[in-house]
């Protein structure tokens, strides 16, 4: 157990730190797109496979795939709320929506292929319903020094906490909770505070686009984690995810997202 805890406190903040710096370099759309990667839910499934076995991890992966629907609804909610309300209100409403969606989805079980197809269609629909805003100029406000360490600490705490309670709440609920867009909401609320609604909307549009690769990651993992060695399942999941992520980046660059 010691080595899995060490992985949690090393791997998670490293991923979050790298994505934070990349997002600052390339803007809110790319920042949101990067957050669409399974930066918290992926490590959670890995740690659960190492500590509780592949069967538990597979059920968690299925729950996470289903939970991506809740994450997409949160993106849509925050994007529209940001046009009308301040970031604290948008944040509160989005968290309430995620909670309600998770409650509704808990106990729902679908075959893997059907679930993946439904999630892809659902994400496409959400993307069409997202507002579009043009960012005019750039925010002159620089993030405070504590911003990056706070993000890393917050997300790492979430990963450690959720993997700790996983044996008690079960694999499906763990999976449904793991895609909670903690980091995406941090980016969107920070972007709204300093860049207005357009910045937040660009973050959330990018995040929804990135969720296609996240869904692919968990589909492949759920299909292979009990049939392959863990490292092979992870490698195949990451490789397939990277291919889909590249396609969505191309779409962002073309202005289609």
């Amino acid at each position: 157990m010691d080595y899995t805890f060490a992985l949690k406190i090393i791997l998670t903040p490293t991923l979050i730190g790298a994505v934070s710096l990349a997002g600052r370099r390339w803007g809110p759309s790319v920042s949101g797109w990067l957050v669409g990667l399974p930066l918290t839910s992926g490590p959670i499934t890995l740690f659960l496979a190492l500590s509780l076995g592949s069967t538990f991890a597979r059920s968690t992966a299925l729950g996470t795939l289903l939970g991506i629907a809740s994450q997409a609804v949160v993106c849509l909610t925050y994007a529209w709320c940001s046009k009308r309300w301040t970031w604290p209100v948008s944040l509160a409403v989005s968290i309430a929506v995620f909670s309600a969606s998770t409650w509704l989805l808990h106990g729902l079980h679908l075959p893997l292929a059907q679930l993946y197809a439904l999630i892809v269609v659902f994400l496409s629909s959400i993307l069409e319903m997202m507002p579009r805003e043009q960012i005019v100029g750039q925010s002159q406000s620089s993030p405070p020094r504590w911003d990056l360490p706070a993000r890393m600490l917050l997300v790492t705490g979430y990963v450690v906490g959720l993997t700790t309670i996983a044996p008690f709440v079960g694999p499906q609920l763990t999976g449904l909770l793991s895609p909670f867009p903690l980091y995406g909401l941090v980016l969107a609320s920070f972007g709204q505070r300093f860049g207005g609604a357009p910045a937040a909307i660009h973050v959330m549009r990018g995040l929804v686009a990135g969720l296609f690769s996240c869904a692919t990651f968990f589909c492949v993992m759920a299909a292979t984690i009990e049939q392959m060695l863990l490292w092979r399942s992870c490698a195949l999941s990451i490789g397939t995810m990277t291919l889909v992520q590249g396609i969505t980046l191309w779409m962002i660059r073309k202005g289609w997202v």
Side-chain angles (χ1 to χ4, degrees):
M1 292 295 293
D2 288 341
Y3 74 93
T4 59
F5 182 76
L7 276 174
K8 293 174 191 178
I9 63 175
I10 294 172
L11 178 61
T12 305
T14 299
L15 289 172
I16 295 302
V19 168
S20 297
L21 295 174
R24 291 178 183 178
R25 171 65 178 82
W26 287 297
S29 293
V30 174
S31 181
W33 169 78
L34 286 169
V35 174
L37 292 169
L39 299 172
T40 55
S41 51
I44 285 171
T45 306
L46 170 62
F47 300 142
L48 292 177
L50 291 171
S51 59
L52 298 176
S54 59
T55 300
F56 192 99
R58 181 182 186 275
S59 296
T60 302
L62 286 170
T64 305
L65 182 58
L66 181 60
I68 288 174
S70 299
Q71 190 174 6
V73 171
V74 167
C75 293
L76 182 65
T77 300
Y78 194 102
W80 281 106
C81 284
S82 68
K83 292 172 65 68
R84 189 177 291 265
W85 296 311
T86 60
W87 70 266
V89 176
S90 300
L91 184 61
V93 173
S94 298
I95 292 173
V97 166
F98 182 87
S99 301
S101 179
T102 299
W103 180 78
L104 289 171
L105 292 174
H106 190 213
L108 177 63
H109 298 277
L110 295 171
L112 177 59
Q114 181 181 348
L115 176 58
Y116 178 70
L118 286 173
I119 291 297
V120 169
V121 172
F122 186 72
L123 290 176
S124 300
S125 300
I126 290 290
L127 202 53
E128 287 298 317
M129 291 186 285
M130 293 285 286
R132 288 184 177 272
E133 290 283 347
Q134 186 70 32
I135 295 180
V136 180
Q138 296 292 328
S139 172
Q140 298 301 313
S141 301
S142 298
R145 292 183 179 181
W146 52 262
D147 173 63
L148 183 56
R151 295 181 187 187
M152 296 164 69
L153 182 63
L154 185 64
V155 177
T156 302
Y158 187 76
V159 170
V160 172
L162 189 54
T163 52
T164 300
I165 67 171
F168 306 100
V169 302
Q172 195 201 34
L173 184 55
T174 301
L176 286 170
L177 292 172
S178 67
F180 175 66
L182 178 63
Y183 194 45
L185 288 173
V186 169
L187 285 177
S189 57
F190 196 93
Q192 184 180 357
R193 180 184 177 189
F194 292 103
I201 290 169
H202 275 255
V203 168
M204 289 310 191
R205 288 191 66 88
L207 202 164
V208 175
L211 289 180
F212 287 96
S213 62
C214 184
T216 301
F217 175 89
F218 285 105
C219 178
V220 175
M221 178 155 285
T224 61
I225 196 168
E226 290 186 299
Q227 282 71 42
M228 296 181 176
L229 293 173
L230 180 58
W231 72 267
R232 289 181 177 176
S233 176
C234 289
L236 183 60
S237 301
I238 292 171
T240 312
M241 174 193 73
T242 302
L243 176 62
V244 176
Q245 190 76 343
I247 294 172
T248 56
L249 178 61
W250 176 74
M251 293 173 66
I252 289 174
R253 294 302 190 190
K254 288 288 186 179
W256 297 347
V257 174

